[in-house]
Structures are given as structure tokens and as C-alpha cells.
Amino acid sequence: MRVQLFFAALCIFPATAFAGCASNMTTLVSCTAGNGDKALDVCSDGTHVLYRFGTSGQTPNLELIRSILDVDVTPWSGVGSSIWESVTLHNGAFSYEAFSSVARNPEAPAISGGVDVFEDGSPVASVQCDAGSVQTNIDALFEMREAAGLCYDHSTFAWGACK
């Protein structure tokens, strides 16, 4: 059963050169980094989240596919000068937290993003997206998780089964 699910996931998310998220997927965070040398794509088809990072135009160095139920999603708390959100995918001792932020300045709403990498909870790397390259819609993942039966409790800042 597990092999069948893995094969199905590979069919949904084929390993190809970076070209952004597929047309049947929602872009959660996508950008270039390092003056266009690197690319980050985090996408979802409503049931899975795909994380890809590596050299632009080539097969990703790292590709993770996780159920939307198995990723950590931190929605904006409603406080601060920026609207920010993040999605974290786990891979053994490593965690990859992709994030985006939109400055709440109506005259110049700057968008930023990137990915922070942790090993056993300790930061080991941080990649900031190139200015002007960020596409983001992490809040769509909030609705996808609710459709899958999870609810977010704003008082405890935690996800759980809907009641």
C-alpha cells in the first residue's frame, strides 16, 4: 500500500527541471535566490505539498512530497507590520520552513520570502528570495487543511481535528 501511494505521488509530481508549479497546483511559495542561481518551489494539489529546491533550470537537489496533514502550517497571527505565513516540511532530522511576508504598507507593499533549514530544531541554513521574484499564496493551504478536516485554534496556535 505504501509503495502504491509513493508511486502515485511521483506520478502527480514528476521530477523535472524547475519551471514553477504545475498548472493543476497552487503555488504556495516560489522564487529564485542567489541572483537567480537557485530556485524554490512549494506547491500543493489540495492533498499533497511539494517542496523543491536547487539550481535553477535543473533537476532539484531536494524534492519532498508530504500530505497536507503532515506539514506544519503557521498562519499570520494578525499582528505586526507584515502579513507572514510559513509551511514546514520534515525530512528525518531536517525541517524546511518556507515562508513569505507582505509588508502592510499600502504605498509600497514589499513581498519577501525564503526558506530556513533546521537540523534537530537548530538553524543550519537560511536562504532569502531574490527581490521581486516571490510568488506566494500560503494562505490557500489553510483552506486546504480545513477541507481535509483540520481546524486552527487561534487561542492555542495549534491545528487539530475539527469538532
Side-chain angles (χ1 to χ4, degrees):
M1 176 74 168
R2 188 173 205 159
V3 173
Q4 290 171 332
L5 291 174
F6 182 72
F7 179 73
L10 288 178
C11 291
I12 294 169
F13 305 112
T16 58
F18 280 100
C21 297
S23 63
N24 66 330
M25 301 179 78
T26 299
T27 298
L28 303 176
V29 179
S30 183
C31 69
T32 60
N35 294 318
D37 291 339
K38 299 290 182 185
L40 168 69
D41 287 327
V42 184
C43 317
S44 181
D45 67 352
T47 59
H48 294 89
V49 174
L50 167 67
Y51 171 96
R52 296 184 299 188
F53 183 83
T55 303
S56 295
Q58 296 183 16
T59 301
N61 296 71
L62 179 62
E63 182 171 85
L64 303 173
I65 301 168
R66 300 291 184 264
S67 164
I68 62 168
L69 302 175
D70 295 330
V71 298
D72 295 332
V73 178
T74 305
W76 179 50
S77 65
V79 178
S81 61
S82 295
I83 299 169
W84 59 268
E85 297 170 310
S86 69
V87 57
T88 304
L89 289 84
H90 303 281
N91 190 33
F94 290 89
S95 299
Y96 302 87
E97 182 180 18
F99 60 88
S100 64
S101 176
V102 179
R104 295 175 62 192
N105 178 351
E107 294 177 19
I111 301 173
S112 61
V115 61
D116 292 328
V117 181
F118 300 88
E119 182 177 12
D120 293 324
S122 297
V124 294
S126 183
V127 177
Q128 300 297 313
C129 294
D130 293 332
S133 74
V134 181
Q135 296 176 5
T136 183
N137 189 12
I138 294 177
D139 59 332
L141 190 55
F142 188 97
E143 294 170 5
M144 292 174 194
R145 285 171 58 92
E146 285 185 330
L150 293 178
C151 288
Y152 187 75
D153 185 333
H154 291 277
S155 64
T156 62
F157 306 107
W159 288 91
C162 296
K163 296 177 180 159

